[in-house]
């Protein structure tokens, strides 16, 4: 059935030679969001986002993606509301993208890929003492997903794009001390939400996903800037950092809820 083809696809996927999905995993990510199968939940609250731009620390190329990391030692950059029981602290954001504009996102909507997807990773510091512990717990993380589509130039993203040449190689880092990631989140409040996992190792089933319905627009040059990053360290044979997205995972016994009708 579909399940075993997923396992096979995971097993063969170059980027995730490590455990495909958690053996016996029942809430793996990413998934296809079938719009007509999502269930409107009138009890879902609006998501409240309050980030302090001065909590921004640096950008680094970790060999999977480029991460913008934040000082998560206090509650200065948090999200609350939406499907969440507690407030969650911003830890980092990163992207997934393709070699060409036909694919690149991790989630799909009605089986349509976007050229890229932004993930803002938050952890439940109300209940857990550290990010590392929260990663292992069912309600430990909350990730906001934002689709990127080809269109107008994105001013806010450009400040990030201008810094990318400095982190071209794996394990390079550059200081980045003021950035407000809310400029990357659409003002439209509509989102889907479901219980899932990290899409990179350790693939733990600890993520409440909040996927924004509206994409942001970026231009071709900005997508190309992502594609000139490298998976490889300086001195190694160059491998362009592209197609750093995990294959779709089975929905299993899950319902995707929508905050909108
Ligand atoms: N695509 S995703 O699902 O939004 C996503 C995430 F949610 C993440 F949390 C991470 N993540 C991985 C680690 C290493 C930690 C190293 C110490 C043990 C815990 C993991 N830091 N953040 C991540 F890389 C990622 F891609
Ligand atoms: Zn991600």
């Amino acid at each position: 059935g579909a399940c075993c083809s997923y396992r096979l696809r995971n097993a063969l996927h170059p980027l995730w030679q490590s455990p495909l999905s958690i053996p016996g995993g029942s809430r793996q990510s990413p998934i296809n969001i079938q719009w007509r199968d999502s269930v409107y939940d009138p009890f879902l609250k609006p998501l409240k986002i309050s980030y302090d731009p001065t909590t921004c620390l640096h950008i680094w190329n970790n060999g999977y993606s480029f991460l913008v990391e934040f000082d998560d030692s206090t509650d200065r950059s948090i999200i609350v509301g939406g499907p969440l029981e507690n407030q969650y602290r911003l830890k980092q954001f990163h992207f997934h993208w393709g070699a060409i504009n036909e694919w690149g996102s991790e989630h799909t909507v009605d089986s349509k890929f976007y050229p890229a997807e932004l993930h803002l990773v938050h952890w439940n510091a109300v209940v857990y003492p550290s990010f590392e512990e929260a990663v292992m717990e069912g309600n430990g993380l909350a990730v906001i997903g934002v689709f990127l589509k080809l269109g107008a130039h994105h001013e806010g993203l450009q400040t990030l794009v201008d810094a990318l040449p400095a982190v071209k190689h794996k394990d390079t880092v550059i200081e980045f001390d003021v950035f407000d990631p809310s400029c990357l989140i659409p003002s439209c409040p509509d989102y889907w939400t479901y219980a899932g996992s990290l899409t990179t190792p350790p693939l733990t089933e600890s993520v409440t996903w909040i996927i924004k319905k509206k994409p942001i627009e970026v231009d071709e040059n900005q997508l190309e800037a992502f594609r000139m990053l490298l998976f490889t360290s300086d001195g190694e044979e160059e491998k362009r950092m592209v197609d750093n997205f995990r294959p779709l995972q089975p929905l299993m016994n899950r319902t995707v809820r929508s905050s909108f009708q």
Side-chain angles (χ1 to χ4, degrees):
C3 243
C4 61
S5 79
Y6 278 109
R7 257 194 284 282
L8 185 67
R9 198 184 314 167
N10 276 326
L12 302 177
H13 196 271
L15 213 47
W16 279 274
Q17 299 301 353
S18 62
L20 345 175
S21 39
I22 302 281
S26 61
R27 52 175 280 194
Q28 288 291 296
S29 295
I31 59 167
N32 173 52
I33 296 167
Q34 201 64 39
W35 194 314
R36 65 178 176 284
D37 294 345
S38 60
V39 178
Y40 169 58
D41 180 348
F43 297 104
L44 282 172
K45 302 189 189 77
L47 188 63
K48 225 184 122 356
I49 298 169
S50 28
Y51 296 148
D52 172 350
T54 65
T55 55
C56 194
L57 294 172
H58 50 252
I59 309 176
W60 71 293
N61 178 332
N62 72 348
Y64 278 119
S65 180
F66 66 93
L67 275 65
V68 181
E69 295 214 288
F70 289 77
D71 169 6
D72 61 349
S73 59
T74 74
D75 283 332
R76 283 181 295 160
S77 289
I78 55 153
I79 58 171
V80 68
L84 305 171
E85 300 293 311
N86 301 120
Q87 69 176 32
Y88 286 65
R89 261 184 215 170
L90 177 64
K91 166 90 178 158
Q92 51 105 325
F93 69 82
H94 62 273
F95 298 80
H96 304 263
W97 61 91
I100 61 172
N101 298 338
E102 309 319 304
W103 60 73
S105 59
E106 296 216 295
H107 293 86
T108 54
V109 179
D110 294 343
S111 301
K112 168 196 154 78
F113 284 93
Y114 285 88
E117 185 173 334
L118 160 65
H119 290 156
L120 297 125
V121 179
H122 310 75
W123 61 282
N124 185 345
V126 170
V127 174
Y128 304 111
S130 71
F131 170 76
E132 285 71 15
E133 299 230 3
V135 167
M136 309 309 288
E137 303 292 337
N139 63 344
L141 302 186
V143 181
I144 299 175
V146 180
F147 294 117
L148 277 64
K149 75 178 240 192
L150 188 62
H153 181 79
H154 195 294
E155 273 310 303
L157 185 70
Q158 194 55 38
T159 48
L160 209 48
V161 165
D162 290 340
L164 293 186
V167 289
K168 186 179 173 82
H169 294 99
K170 180 181 177 197
D171 295 331
T172 49
V173 60
I174 178 178
E175 197 185 320
F176 201 63
D177 42 18
V178 182
F179 186 76
D180 181 355
S182 29
C183 76
L184 301 173
I185 303 173
S187 51
C188 174
D190 296 348
Y191 62 84
W192 290 284
T193 184
Y194 78 96
S197 73
L198 276 70
T199 67
T200 64
L203 300 170
T204 40
E205 300 184 331
S206 55
V207 180
T208 299
W209 281 95
I210 299 165
I211 309 283
K212 300 290 284 186
K213 181 187 84 176
K214 276 265 190 301
I216 58 170
E217 288 191 25
V218 300
D219 69 23
E220 183 61 39
N221 292 333
Q222 295 178 311
L223 285 170
E224 280 304 323
F226 286 11
R227 300 179 182 129
M228 39 114 296
L229 293 169
L230 301 177
F231 282 127
T232 43
S233 308
D234 200 352
E236 283 180 345
E237 188 212 343
E238 298 204 344
K239 288 199 186 76
R240 289 192 315 144
M241 185 180 275
V242 292
D243 299 331
N244 56 355
F245 57 91
R246 190 189 188 198
L248 289 171
Q249 301 297 309
L251 185 60
M252 317 276 275
N253 178 29
R254 290 180 284 182
T255 301
V256 177
R257 290 181 288 160
S258 66
S259 71
F260 58 94
Q261 281 187 312

